[in-house]
Amino acid sequence: MKIMKKIVLLASAILLFASCSDFLQRDPDAKLNSETYFANETSLKTFINGFINSYTPTSALAREDGSDIIAVTRTAYYIDDWNPNVQTGWSSSDWNAIYNINYFLVHLRDVPGLSEATYNHYEATGRFWRALQYWNKVRTFGGVPYYFAPIDADDEEMLYKPRDSREATMQYILDDLNFACENLSTETAWVNNANISRYIALAIKSRICLFEGTYRKYHATNPETGSAWTTNEANKYLTEAADAAQKLMATGRYSIATDYRGLFTKEAPNYTEGIWFHQYSTAAFHTHDLTWYFTSGSMGSKWSGDQDFIQSYLNIDGTPHTTTEEWAQEFQNRDKRLAATFMPPTYTKKIAGASVTTAPDFAVTYTGYQPIKWNIDDNAYDNASISNNSVPIIRYGEVLLNYAEAKAELGQFTEADWNNTIAILRKNHGGITNTAYPTTADPALAAYYKLSDPVLLEIRRERAIELVFEGHRVNDLMRWARADLINKQWYGLYIPEVNKSYDLNGDGTMDINVYRQADGNGGRAGTPVMLSTANGGWTLENGDHGRLMYNLERKFTEKRYLHPIPASAIVLNPNLEQNAAWK
C-alpha cells in the first residue's frame, strides 16, 4: 500500500535506529496527513491490513536453530565469538513497525462517528501488535526504549532516550495485552481469519506471560543488570498467563483435533484447534519454502531429531520408553506424534506422482531421525518455494500447555487440571491409552532437567513433544535458565555393527552402509549412502556399535541469555546501556 510505504519512510528516520544526519535532514512536512487519510472505518481496516501483511509471523516460526533436541548445522550465536560488534536487530527496519503502530494509535480516533466499542477494538488491535513487537525485543535484548507515540524530528529527548528497564517494558506490554483482551471483538468478521480477535490476544497473552513469569522465577538475577530483580513479580505473570488461558478455555471456542500432523501439512487451516494461522494458498500465489527447507541438505540446516529426544516419547500405554533399539523398532507402540513428526518405517511419499516407500536420507539428516512434521509428502515440493500448507502461529494445544505450566509453577495444578490439559493432548494427539496423573518422577527426565516435581517434568516432556519444530524450544530453555542443555552431545540411530548394510524401512533396498574408514566401503558398492565411523564427524557410541554420535561444538555461556545491544546503536545513542555480561 502506498500509505504504508510513506509511513515506513518516516519510521526509518528515527535517530535511534538510523544516522543522526539522515534524520535531521528529513523534511517534517513529509508526514502523512492524518486528517485526509483517516476519514472512515475503511481507512482503519486498510491500515491494519498493512500490519497483518507486514508483521504476521511467517514460516520462520518453525525454525529452532540452537535447541537441545534438534541437531542442525552451525549456529553462529552459540559457537562463535559473538560480540556487540556483530550483533544486529537495532536498525531502522527493526523499529519501523513500532513507529507505524504508534502512528495508527495516535490518529485512529481522527475517524469521525464511530462507536466507543469500535474505537476500542481498533485501539486494541494496534496495542496487540505493539505488545508483540516489544516482546520480541525483550526476549532478545531485555529492556528497550519504549515509545507510546511516533517520534518527532526535533524531539531530542525522545531520540536519545535511554532503555526502559525490563520490568517497566514488560508492564507496558502487559497493559497493552490486557486492553487487547478486554476490547478486541469476537464477532464473526474478526475470527478465524487474518484479523486479530480477542481469542488470539488471550492465547498470545498466555504465551508472553508464561515466558516472563518463568523467566523471573528461574533467573535469580536480571541478565540485563547482573543484579537482583527490582520487582521479581514472577507469580504475577504466571497468574496472568493462567487467567488468560483459562478465559480462552472457558469460551469452548476451540478444542484439540485428532489429526495432529494435518494441522501442519494442509492448505486449509484447521480452526478446530488453530487459533491464528499464517494462511498460504497456491491459488493466491502465496507459498513458502518449508518442505524444501526440510528436504534439502544444502538449502536447509539438516535438521534432525536427537535420539535422547526420540527416547522421551512415551510408549502407547503411557509408560516411559527406556530401550535403545534399531531405527525401525523404535516407532513401534509409541506416542503417535513420533511417527507424525519424524519419518517412520511406514512413510510413503509421492515421487513423480507415484507413492513410494521412503527411508531417511542422510544427505538431509545427521541422525537418521528425519523431520516430516511440516513436509508435504510429494517430491514436487522438494526443490522450490511452492509449499502451500498453512502455518499455525498459535493453537489451542499450546494454550492448554501454557495453562498447565503456569498453574503448576504456582503450585495450584490439580488432577482435574491434568485431565483437562495434558491428558487430552496425549489422548487426542498421541493416542496414548493411559493418561493417568503422575505421582512419581521419571528418573531420566529428573536427571535431564534437574527437577523432582513429577507434574512439572511431565508438562515439560509434553511441551517438547507437542510443540517441536514450532519455534518454542529455545525460548523454553531461555526462560527455564536451562540453555546450558544446548551444550550436549547429539545422538543418532542405533547401529548394531560396522561393515554392514542396512535396509532401514524393510522395503528390500539397502539404505546405508556403515563402515570404518580403513575398511573402505566394506565391499558393498551401490548402497545409496555410506557412513564412515572414522570421518565426516561420526563415531559410534561404543566403538564398533551403538548410537551414531555427531560431534559439533557448541558453547552456550551465561551471558547469552540476552543478546548484546549492537555497538552501532550505542555509538548513535550513548544513553543506551549495554547488557551487564556484554560490557
Side-chain angles (χ1 to χ4, degrees), residues 130-355:
R130 184 169 66 185
L132 197 57
Q133 290 291 324
Y134 267 110
W135 181 60
N136 289 334
K137 296 186 184 305
V138 168
R139 285 188 299 123
T140 305
F141 300 114
V144 294
Y146 197 95
Y147 296 96
F148 295 93
I151 302 172
D152 290 329
D154 56 355
D155 191 344
E156 292 195 11
E157 180 179 354
M158 296 303 288
L159 294 174
Y160 291 100
K161 188 180 189 299
R163 298 169 65 186
D164 288 278
S165 68
R166 184 190 185 110
E167 291 94 333
T169 306
M170 281 305 306
Q171 183 60 55
Y172 299 144
I173 290 171
L174 181 59
D175 292 343
D176 279 347
L177 289 171
N178 284 338
F179 189 89
C181 290
E182 292 165 6
N183 292 282
L184 278 164
S185 178
T186 56
E187 294 180 4
T188 302
W190 300 99
V191 176
N192 290 353
N193 49 46
N195 291 297
I196 304 303
S197 68
R198 188 178 304 174
Y199 303 129
I200 291 174
L202 287 167
I204 292 295
K205 179 185 171 184
S206 76
R207 174 189 289 179
I208 291 175
C209 289
L210 176 66
F211 181 93
E212 191 63 15
T214 48
Y215 199 98
R216 303 272 186 102
K217 178 174 181 176
Y218 288 105
H219 288 265
T221 60
N222 180 352
E224 180 182 319
T225 63
S227 303
W229 298 93
T230 304
T231 53
N232 186 282
E233 299 182 315
N235 284 356
K236 180 181 90 169
Y237 283 97
L238 290 170
T239 300
E240 293 278 3
D243 287 350
Q246 194 280 326
K247 286 177 181 176
L248 181 55
M249 293 160 64
T251 67
R253 181 66 184 78
Y254 299 95
S255 59
I256 298 302
T258 55
D259 181 12
Y260 176 74
R261 187 161 178 249
L263 289 166
F264 314 102
T265 58
K266 295 182 178 179
E267 179 171 347
N270 183 342
Y271 283 115
T272 297
E273 179 172 339
I275 300 169
W276 188 17
F277 277 89
H278 191 116
Q279 189 166 352
Y280 292 89
S281 168
T282 301
F285 303 102
H286 184 45
T287 57
H288 58 79
D289 65 1
L290 273 181
T291 297
W292 186 14
Y293 193 85
F294 283 114
T295 55
S296 170
S298 56
M299 193 276 187
S301 296
K302 297 183 72 171
W303 291 42
S304 317
D306 174 61
Q307 210 271 348
D308 285 341
F309 176 54
I310 302 301
Q311 286 272 36
S312 73
Y313 283 76
L314 295 171
N315 296 320
I316 201 70
D317 63 2
T319 58
H321 189 77
T322 57
T323 59
T324 299
E325 303 169 308
E326 293 187 51
W327 177 79
Q329 283 69 51
E330 285 194 296
F331 289 83
Q332 295 179 3
N333 299 315
R334 301 289 295 281
D335 183 323
K336 291 181 179 179
R337 287 170 293 186
L338 178 58
T341 304
F342 299 98
M343 185 180 293
T346 55
Y347 181 72
T348 60
K349 181 175 184 175
K350 283 186 179 180
I351 298 177
S355 182

Side-chain angles (χ1 to χ4, degrees), residues 526-541:
T527 52
V529 177
M530 294 183 291
L531 299 177
S532 166
T533 63
N535 62 13
W538 287 105
T539 57
L540 288 180
E541 188 175 16

Side-chain angles (χ1 to χ4, degrees), residues 18-38:
S19 74
C20 302
S21 59
D22 282 350
F23 182 83
L24 296 176
Q25 290 172 3
R26 286 200 176 270
D27 181 1
D29 294 332
K31 288 182 180 177
L32 184 70
N33 188 334
S34 64
E35 293 180 3
T36 58
Y37 178 74
F38 290 99

